[in-house]
């Protein structure tokens, strides 16, 4: 069952019971410096830096409260703010509870000739308790080896469990998958399906506060 609340996320999070969320998987504003417009809705993704970090810190503190003792949080960001949010998450969730980064790498989209084009996003992943968190290794999908001739025929046929860099194309402009929510997104459902299978169990509660 999926429930969507159209409300201020911090206000709604304060109504949730402490420790009631098993997995937080969220895609917040990136503070890109642009107004995001889609159909008849828009939001300003251009906050003053300190204001943005304070907003994220306040939401993440509430996320820590509502996350279950064996829960995990994944926060997706791009290069604009990921390093600053990482510092705040270290303070809130504890550096020792940092599981690592997952890099979603993709192609297509706009290109620049001023520098190497930014074609990746980063998930910052923390456990509430590094000694007690859900990770269903056997439920993770497999993917082809990039150099199958190096691993042998049997392994090549089986494929490998993904590592911390996930190559997956963006969702096409005209795809129905792109238009599921209030704003068009190029993030494929496969990313979120993999995370949910790995870091939650049947009957768990998963939250995206953004």
């Amino acid at each position: 069952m999926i429930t969507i609340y159209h409300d201020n996320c911090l206000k709604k999070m304060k109504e949730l019971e402490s420790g009631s969320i098993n997995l937080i998987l969220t895609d917040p504003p990136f503070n890109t410096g642009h107004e995001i417009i889609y159909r008849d809705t828009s939001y300003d993704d251009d906050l003053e830096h300190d204001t943005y970090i304070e907003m994220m810190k306040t939401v993440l503190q509430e996320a820590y409260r509502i996350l279950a003792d064996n829960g995990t949080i994944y926060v997706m960001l791009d290069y604009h703010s990921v390093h600053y949010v990482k510092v705040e998450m270290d303070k809130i969730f504890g550096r020792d509870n940092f599981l690592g980064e997952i890099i979603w790498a993709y192609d297509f989209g706009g290109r620049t000739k001023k520098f190497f084009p930014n074609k990746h996003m980063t998930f910052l992943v923390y456990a509430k308790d590094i000694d007690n968190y859900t990770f269903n290794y056997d439920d993770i999908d497999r993917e082809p080896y990039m150099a199958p001739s190096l691993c042998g025929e049997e392994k090549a046929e089986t494929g490998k469990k993904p590592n911390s860099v996930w190559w997956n194309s963006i969702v096409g402009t005209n795809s129905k998958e792109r238009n599921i929510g209030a704003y068009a997104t190029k993030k494929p459902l496969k990313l979120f399906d993999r995370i949910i299978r790995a870091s939650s169990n049947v009957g768990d509660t998963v939250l995206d506060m953004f």
Side-chain angles (χ1 to χ4, degrees):
M1 181 181 72
I2 298 175
T3 303
I4 300 175
Y5 297 99
H6 294 276
D7 206 338
N8 176 278
C9 73
L10 186 60
K11 172 178 172 289
K12 203 66 189 177
M13 290 169 74
K14 289 182 180 294
E15 299 175 7
L16 298 176
E17 184 180 346
S18 296
S20 61
I21 305 297
N22 305 100
L23 169 63
I24 296 176
L25 170 52
T26 193
D27 178 16
F30 292 174
N31 210 27
T32 59
H34 304 290
E35 183 181 14
I36 307 299
I37 301 173
Y38 179 61
R39 293 179 179 169
D40 57 350
T41 59
S42 67
Y43 70 90
D44 187 7
D45 198 30
D46 185 19
L47 294 177
E48 194 275 332
H49 174 76
D50 290 344
T51 301
Y52 173 81
I53 295 302
E54 188 62 31
M55 179 273 291
M56 287 296 297
K57 182 169 69 173
T58 302
V59 171
L60 289 167
Q61 286 170 338
E62 199 62 26
Y64 181 84
R65 180 188 67 81
I66 63 177
L67 191 62
D69 290 341
N70 66 339
T72 310
I73 180 170
Y74 291 71
V75 178
M76 177 191 275
L77 292 162
D78 74 359
Y79 68 95
H80 290 92
S81 301
V82 64
H83 306 96
Y84 304 100
V85 173
K86 167 69 166 64
V87 171
E88 298 303 325
M89 293 189 74
D90 279 349
K91 297 175 186 176
I92 296 167
F93 289 89
R95 289 183 64 186
D96 291 343
N97 291 319
F98 180 54
L99 289 171
E101 297 176 337
I102 294 172
I103 305 300
W104 169 40
Y106 54 91
D107 208 342
F108 303 109
R111 296 282 174 178
T112 178
K113 295 182 179 179
K114 296 180 179 179
F115 191 61
F116 299 102
N118 287 288
K119 296 296 177 184
H120 78 276
M121 296 184 188
T122 303
F123 288 96
L124 299 173
V125 188
Y126 288 77
K128 185 77 171 275
D129 179 355
I130 197 68
D131 295 319
N132 177 33
Y133 62 94
T134 298
F135 190 70
N136 302 311
Y137 180 81
D138 291 337
D139 292 337
I140 302 172
D141 58 306
R142 290 182 175 271
E143 58 187 18
Y145 282 93
M146 296 182 73
S149 61
L150 298 179
C151 65
E153 185 176 341
E154 184 176 345
K155 284 187 176 181
E157 185 175 339
T158 304
K160 66 181 179 68
K161 296 288 187 178
N163 55 29
S164 61
V165 178
W166 298 355
W167 283 94
N168 199 303
S169 183
I170 62 175
V171 177
T173 304
N174 297 320
S175 170
K176 292 181 180 180
E177 187 177 321
R178 189 181 182 95
N179 301 311
I180 288 174
Y183 293 92
T185 178
K186 61 186 179 184
K187 305 170 188 72
L189 286 172
K190 183 177 180 179
L191 301 180
F192 302 97
D193 179 76
R194 178 179 287 172
I195 292 170
I196 290 169
R197 288 178 183 276
S199 293
S200 68
N201 297 309
V202 175
D204 282 353
T205 302
V206 180
L207 172 69
D208 178 0
M209 58 272 203
F210 289 102

